[in-house]
Amino acid sequence: FPDHALPDGVRVPSVVTVHDVSFLTHPSTHNVNSRVFYSRAMSRLRCADEVIAVSVHVRNHLLERRLVGAERLSVVAEAPTLAVDAAPHSGDSLAPFALMVGTIQPRKNHARAARAWLHTRASRDMRLFVVGALGYQGGDIVKSIRKCDPKSRVRFLGRVSDATLGRLYSRARLLLQPSLDEGFGLPVLEAMRAGLPCVAADIGALREITDGAAVYADPLDVEEMASAIDRVIDNPDTSKLIADAGRVRAAGFSWAQTAKATVAVYDRLR
């Protein structure tokens, strides 16, 4: 069962994958239906024979809350998927831009990220492109950002195709990932594989996934976030150092490894 929940009535050996624990760490960022679903899903984990967590961060929270015993809990990391367009950029019509990727909802911290962006020197010459569909409270978040951004220095692109997202990764100057919590952090891993330097929230999963190949900022501190953005964009040496380290780090993740580790968990139940 690859999405948190073990249905009632299962009588055969079972494996449940848990991707995210923000409903435990930041419940107010979820709507009522989401909190009810995940609360029931977590209560059912005790009935699963094996549980897969996608990061050590997720594993630790499950253990701390005694939702799963350590003997039944494995960590299997995810991997980057997108094919990045690495073609020369000389014909691009896009002006320089920074990028943020994620469903527009409170947990992703768009409102603080936008305020931070508007405080940067970088925002005088470039825009922050935001990719992602509207989620819980997404419409209100967009309205609040547009209200304080009369010059439209933050531009919402909505949901885009994988091909378009790959091109954005390859042409952006920086990825901003200011989430309050993440179970894993696929956009950061995809950006690193594309050679895009990242400014990431200083939180468990993003620290774990990037392993030093990013500049970190407190996701609750707008000024610190703005300073981190300018530090990367204003300093080509810093930007290149982070980008190079990110490529190396991202190369250590693959779906082949994920599949092999997942099958190993299944095989224990044969």
Side-chain angles (χ1 to χ4, degrees):
F1 300 94
D3 188 17
H4 299 84
L6 176 69
D8 292 331
V10 174
R11 297 290 182 268
V12 294
S14 57
V15 180
V16 177
T17 300
V18 179
H19 299 268
D20 178 22
V21 289
S22 62
F23 45 87
L24 298 173
T25 63
H26 295 80
S28 65
T29 64
H30 289 255
N31 63 30
V32 172
N33 290 338
S34 176
R35 292 199 297 269
V36 169
F37 169 80
Y38 286 117
S39 176
R40 175 151 180 77
M42 293 300 99
S43 71
R44 290 281 294 156
L45 285 182
R46 294 183 179 89
C47 301
D49 294 279
E50 295 279 349
V51 175
I52 293 174
V54 299
S55 64
V56 174
H57 170 71
V58 169
R59 176 185 184 275
N60 289 346
H61 277 284
L62 296 178
L63 290 176
E64 287 169 7
R65 290 165 171 78
R66 298 183 180 179
L67 295 169
V68 185
E71 73 282 355
R72 296 186 293 119
L73 184 54
S74 303
V75 176
V76 179
E78 297 176 332
T81 299
L82 288 180
V84 176
D85 179 3
H89 301 173
S90 57
D92 289 352
S93 59
L94 287 175
F97 65 92
L99 185 64
M100 183 175 173
V101 178
T103 301
I104 300 171
Q105 56 183 324
R107 176 169 64 93
K108 299 295 186 177
N109 208 21
H110 288 82
R112 287 191 187 88
R115 293 205 304 273
W117 178 252
L118 296 176
H119 279 83
T120 63
R121 293 184 296 277
S123 68
R124 301 169 190 166
D125 303 314
M126 67 178 75
R127 288 179 172 176
L128 173 64
F129 285 176
V130 178
V131 171
L134 293 179
Y136 174 51
Q137 297 183 350
D140 292 338
I141 292 169
V142 171
K143 287 178 184 176
S144 70
I145 292 172
R146 285 177 172 162
K147 186 175 180 180
C148 67
D149 180 28
K151 295 183 179 180
S152 297
R153 289 178 285 177
V154 178
R155 181 181 174 189
F156 294 91
L157 304 184
R159 187 190 296 274
V160 302
S161 68
D162 284 353
T164 296
L165 183 55
R167 287 193 292 272
L168 290 170
Y169 279 133
S170 70
R171 289 156 172 74
R173 293 283 304 279
L174 169 146
L175 178 81
L176 176 60
Q177 189 75 19
S179 309
L180 300 176
D181 191 44
E182 290 286 350
F184 187 76
L186 277 174
V188 169
L189 200 56
E190 291 169 346
M192 291 195 302
R193 189 172 75 165
L196 180 58
C198 300
V199 170
D202 193 2
I203 60 172
L206 296 184
R207 273 276 187 184
E208 176 185 343
I209 301 309
T210 57
D211 193 29
V215 170
Y216 304 99
D218 181 346
L220 300 179
D221 190 326
V222 169
E223 291 185 4
E224 185 176 319
M225 207 184 306
S227 177
I229 293 168
D230 277 332
R231 180 150 62 97
V232 174
I233 290 180
D234 289 349
N235 190 327
D237 291 337
T238 298
S239 179
K240 185 178 185 306
L241 184 67
I242 295 169
D244 291 346
R247 284 192 187 95
V248 172
R249 177 62 176 164
F253 295 81
S254 76
W255 284 114
Q257 293 173 350
T258 302
K260 182 178 180 179
T262 301
V263 170
V265 175
Y266 293 166
D267 281 345
R268 289 204 291 268
L269 301 182
R270 293 171 64 181

